[in-house]
Amino acid sequence: MDRGGMRPDTFDAACAHMRPRAVFLVPTLHNPTTITLSEARRRELAASRAATM
């Protein structure tokens, strides 16, 4: 994570390594950081996973 929340590159790497069936992200007021993902970051994360399906 960075100041913008979950990083798409590290998210992709973790998913490739662990191959989860589901992922639960908290896009608004993440606990304990209180980070809220921007719309652009949310779209990047969604697009990165959609591309691998």
Side-chain angles (χ1 to χ4, degrees):
M1 287 183 54
D2 61 14
R3 289 185 178 186
M6 176 63 69
R7 291 180 26 207
D9 60 329
T10 57
F11 181 62
D12 283 340
C15 287
H17 176 70
M18 298 178 171
R19 305 195 42 85
R21 294 179 147 227
V23 176
F24 180 81
L25 299 177
V26 180
T28 305
L29 296 175
H30 176 271
N31 185 16
T33 66
T34 69
I35 291 172
T36 296
L37 294 173
S38 67
E39 182 178 347
R41 181 68 63 97
R42 293 173 194 220
R43 291 182 186 277
E44 288 178 61
L45 289 166
S48 71
R49 292 294 83 212
T52 63
M53 296 181 134

